[in-house]
PDB file of all heavy atoms in Angstrom:
ATOM      1  N   GLU A 332      10.643 -12.100   9.801  1.00  0.00           N
ATOM      2  CA  GLU A 332       9.923 -13.191  10.471  1.00  0.00           C
ATOM      3  C   GLU A 332       9.014 -13.887   9.445  1.00  0.00           C
ATOM      4  O   GLU A 332       7.782 -13.843   9.526  1.00  0.00           O
ATOM      5  CB  GLU A 332       9.124 -12.650  11.659  1.00  0.00           C
ATOM      6  CG  GLU A 332       9.967 -11.957  12.698  1.00  0.00           C
ATOM      7  CD  GLU A 332      10.927 -12.910  13.420  1.00  0.00           C
ATOM      8  OE1 GLU A 332      10.749 -14.144  13.298  1.00  0.00           O
ATOM      9  OE2 GLU A 332      11.853 -12.418  14.107  1.00  0.00           O
ATOM     10  N   THR A 333       9.639 -14.552   8.488  1.00  0.00           N
ATOM     11  CA  THR A 333       8.907 -15.140   7.359  1.00  0.00           C
ATOM     12  C   THR A 333       7.957 -16.243   7.798  1.00  0.00           C
ATOM     13  O   THR A 333       6.818 -16.330   7.316  1.00  0.00           O
ATOM     14  CB  THR A 333       9.904 -15.690   6.318  1.00  0.00           C
ATOM     15  OG1 THR A 333      10.805 -14.644   5.942  1.00  0.00           O
ATOM     16  CG2 THR A 333       9.173 -16.186   5.087  1.00  0.00           C
ATOM     17  N   ALA A 334       8.402 -17.092   8.706  1.00  0.00           N
ATOM     18  CA  ALA A 334       7.543 -18.194   9.168  1.00  0.00           C
ATOM     19  C   ALA A 334       6.307 -17.650   9.871  1.00  0.00           C
ATOM     20  O   ALA A 334       5.186 -18.149   9.678  1.00  0.00           O
ATOM     21  CB  ALA A 334       8.324 -19.116  10.097  1.00  0.00           C
ATOM     22  N   ALA A 335       6.484 -16.608  10.681  1.00  0.00           N
ATOM     23  CA  ALA A 335       5.347 -16.011  11.387  1.00  0.00           C
ATOM     24  C   ALA A 335       4.384 -15.370  10.395  1.00  0.00           C
ATOM     25  O   ALA A 335       3.155 -15.458  10.547  1.00  0.00           O
ATOM     26  CB  ALA A 335       5.837 -14.977  12.395  1.00  0.00           C
ATOM     27  N   ALA A 336       4.925 -14.714   9.378  1.00  0.00           N
ATOM     28  CA  ALA A 336       4.074 -14.123   8.341  1.00  0.00           C
ATOM     29  C   ALA A 336       3.240 -15.199   7.666  1.00  0.00           C
ATOM     30  O   ALA A 336       2.049 -15.012   7.385  1.00  0.00           O
ATOM     31  CB  ALA A 336       4.928 -13.385   7.321  1.00  0.00           C
ATOM     32  N   GLY A 337       3.865 -16.353   7.404  1.00  0.00           N
ATOM     33  CA  GLY A 337       3.148 -17.471   6.796  1.00  0.00           C
ATOM     34  C   GLY A 337       2.027 -17.982   7.686  1.00  0.00           C
ATOM     35  O   GLY A 337       0.951 -18.365   7.199  1.00  0.00           O
ATOM     36  N   LYS A 338       2.257 -17.991   9.011  1.00  0.00           N
ATOM     37  CA  LYS A 338       1.206 -18.418   9.944  1.00  0.00           C
ATOM     38  C   LYS A 338      -0.008 -17.496   9.863  1.00  0.00           C
ATOM     39  O   LYS A 338      -1.155 -17.956   9.876  1.00  0.00           O
ATOM     40  CB  LYS A 338       1.738 -18.414  11.378  1.00  0.00           C
ATOM     41  CG  LYS A 338       2.753 -19.498  11.695  1.00  0.00           C
ATOM     42  CD  LYS A 338       3.193 -19.360  13.155  1.00  0.00           C
ATOM     43  CE  LYS A 338       4.264 -20.367  13.525  1.00  0.00           C
ATOM     44  NZ  LYS A 338       4.698 -20.196  14.949  1.00  0.00           N
ATOM     45  N   VAL A 339       0.247 -16.196   9.797  1.00  0.00           N
ATOM     46  CA  VAL A 339      -0.858 -15.236   9.728  1.00  0.00           C
ATOM     47  C   VAL A 339      -1.641 -15.423   8.435  1.00  0.00           C
ATOM     48  O   VAL A 339      -2.882 -15.438   8.447  1.00  0.00           O
ATOM     49  CB  VAL A 339      -0.333 -13.790   9.847  1.00  0.00           C
ATOM     50  CG1 VAL A 339      -1.471 -12.791   9.622  1.00  0.00           C
ATOM     51  CG2 VAL A 339       0.308 -13.561  11.209  1.00  0.00           C
ATOM     52  N   MET A 340      -0.931 -15.571   7.329  1.00  0.00           N
ATOM     53  CA  MET A 340      -1.631 -15.745   6.054  1.00  0.00           C
ATOM     54  C   MET A 340      -2.432 -17.041   6.050  1.00  0.00           C
ATOM     55  O   MET A 340      -3.562 -17.093   5.541  1.00  0.00           O
ATOM     56  CB  MET A 340      -0.636 -15.736   4.896  1.00  0.00           C
ATOM     57  CG  MET A 340      -0.052 -14.369   4.593  1.00  0.00           C
ATOM     58  SD  MET A 340      -1.300 -13.064   4.359  1.00  0.00           S
ATOM     59  CE  MET A 340      -2.298 -13.746   3.029  1.00  0.00           C
ATOM     60  N   ALA A 341      -1.882 -18.102   6.623  1.00  0.00           N
ATOM     61  CA  ALA A 341      -2.608 -19.377   6.681  1.00  0.00           C
ATOM     62  C   ALA A 341      -3.869 -19.236   7.522  1.00  0.00           C
ATOM     63  O   ALA A 341      -4.923 -19.807   7.198  1.00  0.00           O
ATOM     64  CB  ALA A 341      -1.710 -20.469   7.246  1.00  0.00           C
ATOM     65  N   ALA A 342      -3.801 -18.446   8.609  1.00  0.00           N
ATOM     66  CA  ALA A 342      -4.959 -18.243   9.463  1.00  0.00           C
ATOM     67  C   ALA A 342      -6.029 -17.412   8.740  1.00  0.00           C
ATOM     68  O   ALA A 342      -7.234 -17.670   8.882  1.00  0.00           O
ATOM     69  CB  ALA A 342      -4.543 -17.551  10.756  1.00  0.00           C
ATOM     70  N   ILE A 343      -5.599 -16.408   7.983  1.00  0.00           N
ATOM     71  CA  ILE A 343      -6.548 -15.626   7.184  1.00  0.00           C
ATOM     72  C   ILE A 343      -7.256 -16.531   6.180  1.00  0.00           C
ATOM     73  O   ILE A 343      -8.491 -16.490   6.034  1.00  0.00           O
ATOM     74  CB  ILE A 343      -5.823 -14.483   6.439  1.00  0.00           C
ATOM     75  CG1 ILE A 343      -5.313 -13.428   7.415  1.00  0.00           C
ATOM     76  CG2 ILE A 343      -6.747 -13.847   5.401  1.00  0.00           C
ATOM     77  CD1 ILE A 343      -4.440 -12.363   6.754  1.00  0.00           C
ATOM     78  N   GLU A 344      -6.492 -17.344   5.482  1.00  0.00           N
ATOM     79  CA  GLU A 344      -7.065 -18.206   4.455  1.00  0.00           C
ATOM     80  C   GLU A 344      -7.987 -19.261   5.052  1.00  0.00           C
ATOM     81  O   GLU A 344      -9.030 -19.591   4.463  1.00  0.00           O
ATOM     82  CB  GLU A 344      -5.934 -18.851   3.648  1.00  0.00           C
ATOM     83  CG  GLU A 344      -5.166 -17.839   2.793  1.00  0.00           C
ATOM     84  CD  GLU A 344      -3.955 -18.434   2.105  1.00  0.00           C
ATOM     85  OE1 GLU A 344      -3.618 -19.607   2.394  1.00  0.00           O
ATOM     86  OE2 GLU A 344      -3.335 -17.733   1.284  1.00  0.00           O
ATOM     87  N   ALA A 345      -7.648 -19.770   6.228  1.00  0.00           N
ATOM     88  CA  ALA A 345      -8.526 -20.737   6.897  1.00  0.00           C
ATOM     89  C   ALA A 345      -9.845 -20.079   7.291  1.00  0.00           C
ATOM     90  O   ALA A 345     -10.918 -20.694   7.224  1.00  0.00           O
ATOM     91  CB  ALA A 345      -7.835 -21.314   8.134  1.00  0.00           C
ATOM     92  N   THR A 346      -9.767 -18.812   7.672  1.00  0.00           N
ATOM     93  CA  THR A 346     -10.970 -18.073   8.067  1.00  0.00           C
ATOM     94  C   THR A 346     -11.897 -17.842   6.881  1.00  0.00           C
ATOM     95  O   THR A 346     -13.100 -18.117   6.950  1.00  0.00           O
ATOM     96  CB  THR A 346     -10.573 -16.725   8.712  1.00  0.00           C
ATOM     97  OG1 THR A 346      -9.939 -16.996   9.965  1.00  0.00           O
ATOM     98  CG2 THR A 346     -11.774 -15.837   8.932  1.00  0.00           C
ATOM     99  N   THR A 347     -11.351 -17.309   5.784  1.00  0.00           N
ATOM    100  CA  THR A 347     -12.210 -17.037   4.626  1.00  0.00           C
ATOM    101  C   THR A 347     -12.706 -18.331   3.990  1.00  0.00           C
ATOM    102  O   THR A 347     -13.817 -18.379   3.446  1.00  0.00           O
ATOM    103  CB  THR A 347     -11.476 -16.188   3.573  1.00  0.00           C
ATOM    104  OG1 THR A 347     -10.266 -16.853   3.154  1.00  0.00           O
ATOM    105  CG2 THR A 347     -11.141 -14.813   4.132  1.00  0.00           C
ATOM    106  N   ALA A 348     -11.914 -19.399   4.066  1.00  0.00           N
ATOM    107  CA  ALA A 348     -12.354 -20.690   3.521  1.00  0.00           C
ATOM    108  C   ALA A 348     -13.598 -21.201   4.248  1.00  0.00           C
ATOM    109  O   ALA A 348     -14.422 -21.912   3.667  1.00  0.00           O
ATOM    110  CB  ALA A 348     -11.226 -21.713   3.614  1.00  0.00           C
ATOM    111  N   ARG A 349     -13.747 -20.811   5.521  1.00  0.00           N
ATOM    112  CA  ARG A 349     -14.935 -21.185   6.299  1.00  0.00           C
ATOM    113  C   ARG A 349     -16.100 -20.239   6.026  1.00  0.00           C
ATOM    114  O   ARG A 349     -17.176 -20.380   6.607  1.00  0.00           O
ATOM    115  CB  ARG A 349     -14.609 -21.160   7.793  1.00  0.00           C
ATOM    116  CG  ARG A 349     -13.608 -22.228   8.253  1.00  0.00           C
ATOM    117  CD  ARG A 349     -13.225 -22.004   9.699  1.00  0.00           C
ATOM    118  NE  ARG A 349     -14.410 -21.942  10.566  1.00  0.00           N
ATOM    119  CZ  ARG A 349     -14.427 -21.348  11.760  1.00  0.00           C
ATOM    120  NH1 ARG A 349     -13.336 -20.725  12.203  1.00  0.00           N
ATOM    121  NH2 ARG A 349     -15.524 -21.351  12.491  1.00  0.00           N
ATOM    122  N   GLY A 350     -15.870 -19.252   5.176  1.00  0.00           N
ATOM    123  CA  GLY A 350     -16.919 -18.299   4.845  1.00  0.00           C
ATOM    124  C   GLY A 350     -16.985 -17.101   5.765  1.00  0.00           C
ATOM    125  O   GLY A 350     -17.846 -16.238   5.614  1.00  0.00           O
TER     126      GLY A 350
END
Side-chain angles (χ1 to χ4, degrees):
E332 301 294 346
T333 305
K338 290 180 183 179
V339 174
M340 288 308 303
I343 292 173
E344 292 174 353
T346 292
T347 57
R349 293 173 54 202

